[in-house]
């Protein structure tokens, strides 16, 4: 039975999709796990673009609407074996509360399920959290982003969904940014990964190839492997 991890953050652009793509890629390719990544960001669904998987006919919306079974909207990334259910733009309000049923239904087929989400702490975030067994909160090491995520922590606690830890992404060791210890103290949670800010990560998104595929020995790729290890430990 798979464990489902929601990848959440109150803020946009912190790296939720980058973490989902790279973590999913290393878990599949390096750790030989059966992994499904679901793009539950209904605002800006772009996980498939980060993996160069274009023109996919079905998406999570078709599954949520009961128009297709999950298996029909599941596609495999050729470079890594990572399976994804892509998102697509919602032109009308979608009932995200069914996500939990969908995740529960497919759990038997995978070792790990990753659920990418949109920023905020709203009804969609609630749907993602309720579908998750544990959460990873993605933040950057900047005070305003870290403190915004107090709302994410509170929502998770209100829903009773455990938080595995914080992924501190785009870390640079500058004097202005918060240290891992300061982030831990602010959110009262462990930092389980520290991913460096690295132009190679950015270029990976531009080239639609995750950094762990393009430059597997870069420090950022190593950090993604360490994160995978932490989830499997
Ligand atoms: N460690 C990193 N180093 C350098 N650039 C990064 C890193 N992580 C993410 N980025 C870049 O930051 C941008 C935002 O990343 P991403 O799309 O993963 O964020 P997001 O949290 O999913 O955003 P949204 O909330 O809009 O879905 C992208 O251009 C990505 O390439
Ligand atoms: Mg995203």
């Amino acid at each position: 039975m798979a464990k489902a991890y929601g990848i959440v953050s109150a803020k946009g652009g912190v790296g939720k999709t980058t973490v989902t793509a790279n973590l999913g890629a290393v878990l599949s390719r390096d750790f030989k796990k059966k992994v499904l990544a679901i793009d539950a960001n209904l605002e800006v669904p772009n996980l498939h673009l980060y993996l160069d998987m274009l023109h996919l006919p079905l998406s999570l919306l078709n599954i949520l609407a009961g128009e297709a079974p999950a298996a029909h909207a599941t596609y495999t990334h050729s470079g890594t074996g990572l399976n994804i259910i892509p998102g697509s733009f919602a032109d009308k309000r979608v009932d995200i509360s069914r996500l939990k049923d969908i995740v529960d239904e497919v759990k038997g087929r995978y070792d790990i399920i990753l659920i990418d989400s949109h920023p905020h702490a709203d009804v969609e975030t609630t749907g993602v959290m309720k579908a998750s067994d544990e959460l990873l909160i993605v933040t950057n090491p900047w005070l305003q982003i870290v403190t915004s995520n107090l709302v994410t922590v509170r929502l998770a606690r209100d829903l009773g969904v455990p938080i595995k830890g914080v992924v501190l992404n785009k870390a640079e060791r500058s004097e202005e940014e918060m240290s891992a210890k300061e982030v831990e103290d602010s959110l009262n949670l462990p930092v389980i990964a520290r991913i460096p800010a690295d132009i190679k990560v950015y270029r990976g998104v531009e080239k639609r190839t995750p950094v762990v595929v393009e430059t597997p020995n870069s420090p950022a790729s190593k950090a993604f492997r360490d994160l995978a290890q932490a989830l499997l430990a």
Side-chain angles (χ1 to χ4, degrees):
M1 269 307 241
K3 192 173 228 185
Y5 292 96
I7 317 283
V8 296
S9 182
K11 286 289 174 187
V14 292
K16 296 177 294 298
T17 306
T18 305
V19 169
T20 305
N22 282 283
L23 181 59
V26 284
L27 282 166
S28 305
R29 189 196 56 187
D30 300 352
F31 294 88
K32 309 289 178 228
K33 297 293 173 193
K34 279 187 267 171
V35 187
L36 174 68
I38 301 175
D39 190 349
N41 182 342
L42 305 176
E43 233 171 45
V44 187
N46 53 12
L47 177 66
H48 60 293
L49 300 179
Y50 284 35
L51 294 160
D52 203 17
M53 296 167 75
L54 312 180
H55 314 301
L56 305 174
L58 294 170
S59 79
L60 179 64
L61 293 192
N62 300 104
I63 309 175
L64 287 170
E67 295 161 358
H72 289 191
T74 304
Y75 304 90
T76 305
H77 181 241
S78 59
T80 59
L82 170 65
N83 303 289
I84 72 162
I85 292 178
S88 58
F89 285 108
D91 50 11
K92 55 183 189 300
R93 197 110 191 122
V94 172
D95 181 11
I96 191 85
S97 68
R98 284 203 59 233
L99 184 63
K100 181 174 170 41
D101 296 337
I102 293 164
V103 170
D104 287 348
E105 184 194 310
V106 301
K107 265 185 177 171
R109 292 182 226 151
Y110 299 98
D111 300 314
I112 292 188
I113 297 175
L114 305 173
I115 312 173
D116 190 11
S117 66
H118 80 173
H120 319 305
D122 57 8
V123 64
E124 275 79 23
T125 318
T126 300
V128 168
M129 287 187 177
K130 282 187 171 171
S132 305
D133 297 305
E134 284 194 89
L135 303 170
L136 300 178
I137 295 185
V138 182
T139 188
N140 303 141
W142 306 319
L143 184 67
Q144 190 255 354
I145 294 184
V146 172
T147 52
S148 297
N149 271 307
L150 285 166
V151 91
T152 315
V153 175
R154 191 172 60 204
L155 180 61
R157 298 231 158 107
D158 287 350
L159 296 171
V161 184
I163 301 168
K164 174 82 178 165
V166 177
V167 177
L168 187 54
N169 186 36
K170 304 193 195 181
E172 290 187 88
R173 295 194 196 284
S174 72
E175 275 187 21
E176 293 75 23
E177 72 180 40
M178 292 173 79
S179 67
K181 170 84 172 67
E182 286 168 330
V183 173
E184 289 186 333
D185 291 346
S186 294
L187 297 178
N188 200 19
L189 288 167
V191 168
I192 57 165
R194 185 186 174 285
I195 318 278
D198 185 342
I199 190 71
K200 293 193 190 77
V201 178
Y202 179 76
R203 279 202 204 111
V205 171
E206 297 288 300
K207 288 173 148 181
R208 297 185 175 151
T209 307
V211 70
V212 297
V213 173
E214 188 77 2
T215 50
N217 295 320
S218 63
S221 297
K222 187 181 172 305
F224 283 118
R225 275 198 298 281
D226 290 347
L227 173 57
Q229 201 120 47
L231 296 195
L232 297 174

